[in-house]
Amino acid sequence: MPIDHSSAQTIARVLTEALPYIRRFAGKTIVVKYGGNAMKDDDMIASFARDIVLMKLVGMNPVVVHGGGPQIGAHLEKLGKKSEFIEGMRVTDEETMDVVEMMLGGLVNKAVVSALNQQGGRAVGLTGKDGTLIRARKMLLKSGQEIGQVGEVEKIDPRIITHLEAGGFIPVIAPVGVGEHGEAYNINADVAAGKIAAVLQAEKIIFLTNAPGVLDKQEKILTGLTVPQVEDLILDGTIYGGMVPKVRYALDAVNSGVKSAHIIDGRIEHSVLLELFTDAGIGTLIRG
């Protein structure tokens, strides 16, 4: 059945609005940090996968870095092990690290790869151990509290990513780092995504979150922000709570050469495409 006139006009408007963005970002690397509610069910996973595959098909180079905290927590609970957090970091003893590697590098990573491949992409799953992609060292808290095998990024070697991009593949990266002696480290996925984007000098980094974006005190979305504006919003308390570290990671990326960072609502279907290919976007853009 042919589409009606009104629907045809809407579709045509959307496509023509997307065209200049497709041209502008062709050949550019865009890092997407994937996690939260965007991973909660099959429909949302399929929506995300279609967005990423479409980006690749129109000439962009998407790089996916994913988390998996809820999946790790659920599996630890099945084992009768309680999750413990200090200063927002998961305490990662040896047994917990085994679960982290199993869930991030195994179950979650391969689920994302499978979803992308089912939508016609050519995705390849990696952890930071592959090709020594993420070299890490033990994180030491200022308080001196012990948090086990939680790591901070020491160095990113992007060669395996650039080889995959050149071959037409979509890298899907689990944030497990490797130490000097081959030991595994649990890395915050937002941090890993930002560091990878910086080393790749990505055009954009997109953080999928469980919030609409950065909000002002009237709960309206703020966008088109500069680094000084964001710093002022943190200082005056407009940006607070769990949004502060997310914004800090975005600032680190743009201060390291990434042209822009986007904090968007991963609970909205096709949120990545709406942010990339529409004039208004749907979340918060921070310019470098």
Side-chain angles (χ1 to χ4, degrees):
M1 180 182 294
I3 59 175
D4 61 69
H5 182 67
S6 176
S7 296
Q9 286 186 319
T10 300
I11 293 169
R13 186 171 62 252
V14 169
L15 291 173
T16 54
E17 189 173 319
L19 183 58
Y21 297 104
I22 293 172
R23 285 177 176 155
R24 185 189 306 174
F25 303 140
K28 306 293 186 180
T29 294
I30 297 176
V31 175
V32 183
K33 189 272 174 172
Y34 179 48
N37 283 349
M39 301 175 76
K40 72 176 183 177
D41 59 47
D42 290 344
D43 289 341
M44 292 304 297
I45 293 170
S47 167
F48 171 80
R50 285 194 292 272
D51 288 4
I52 299 299
V53 171
L54 179 58
M55 289 167 64
K56 190 69 175 179
L57 288 174
V58 298
M60 302 176 193
N61 290 317
V63 176
V64 178
V65 181
H66 66 80
Q71 292 88 342
I72 293 167
H75 195 78
L76 287 171
E77 190 175 333
K78 287 180 183 178
L79 297 175
K81 192 174 181 66
K82 185 179 179 181
S83 294
E84 182 184 356
F85 293 86
I86 297 176
E87 296 183 22
M89 303 292 178
R90 183 187 296 278
V91 177
T92 308
D93 59 16
E94 188 174 341
E95 183 181 18
T96 301
M97 191 66 232
D98 288 342
V99 172
V100 169
E101 286 205 81
M102 180 173 64
M103 298 306 292
L104 288 184
L107 187 65
V108 177
N109 187 267
K110 299 316 171 192
V112 177
V113 167
S114 179
L116 290 166
N117 290 343
Q118 285 176 14
Q119 298 299 329
R122 298 169 67 207
V124 175
L126 306 167
T127 75
K129 286 185 168 183
D130 293 302
T132 320
L133 169 59
I134 304 175
R135 174 61 66 85
R137 58 176 173 260
K138 183 180 176 66
M139 179 179 287
L140 301 174
L141 299 182
K142 291 179 181 179
S143 64
Q145 290 178 283
E146 176 60 44
I147 53 174
Q149 290 175 248
V150 177
E152 57 184 6
V153 176
E154 193 171 53
K155 182 182 178 183
I156 301 288
D157 184 341
R159 286 177 293 175
I160 191 169
I161 297 175
T162 54
H163 282 308
L164 288 170
E165 285 183 335
F169 295 97
I170 301 170
V172 179
I173 302 165
V176 175
V178 60
E180 183 180 1
H181 303 293
E183 64 275 31
Y185 285 108
N186 183 13
I187 308 287
N188 179 288
D190 291 332
V191 172
K195 297 291 187 184
I196 288 168
V199 170
L200 293 172
Q201 290 294 279
E203 179 76 14
K204 296 176 179 290
I205 181 169
I206 300 175
F207 296 93
L208 272 67
T209 69
N210 294 336
V214 175
L215 305 178
D216 65 16
K217 291 180 178 179
Q218 287 72 47
E219 300 292 304
K220 293 182 180 178
I221 297 174
L222 294 168
T223 192
L225 300 174
T226 63
V227 171
Q229 286 175 324
V230 173
E231 295 285 7
D232 289 343
L233 290 168
I234 294 173
L235 285 173
D236 72 14
T238 301
I239 301 174
Y240 65 96
M243 186 56 73
V244 173
K246 188 78 67 176
V247 169
R248 288 287 184 200
Y249 303 141
L251 290 181
D252 287 345
V254 297
N255 284 330
S256 299
V258 179
K259 290 187 179 177
S260 64
H262 304 249
I263 299 173
I264 67 173
D265 195 338
R267 300 167 297 183
I268 297 174
E269 194 170 0
H270 298 299
S271 56
V272 174
L273 293 187
L274 290 169
E275 180 65 15
L276 281 176
F277 294 152
T278 63
D279 294 335
I282 64 164
T284 295
L285 179 151
I286 301 171
R287 295 188 177 94

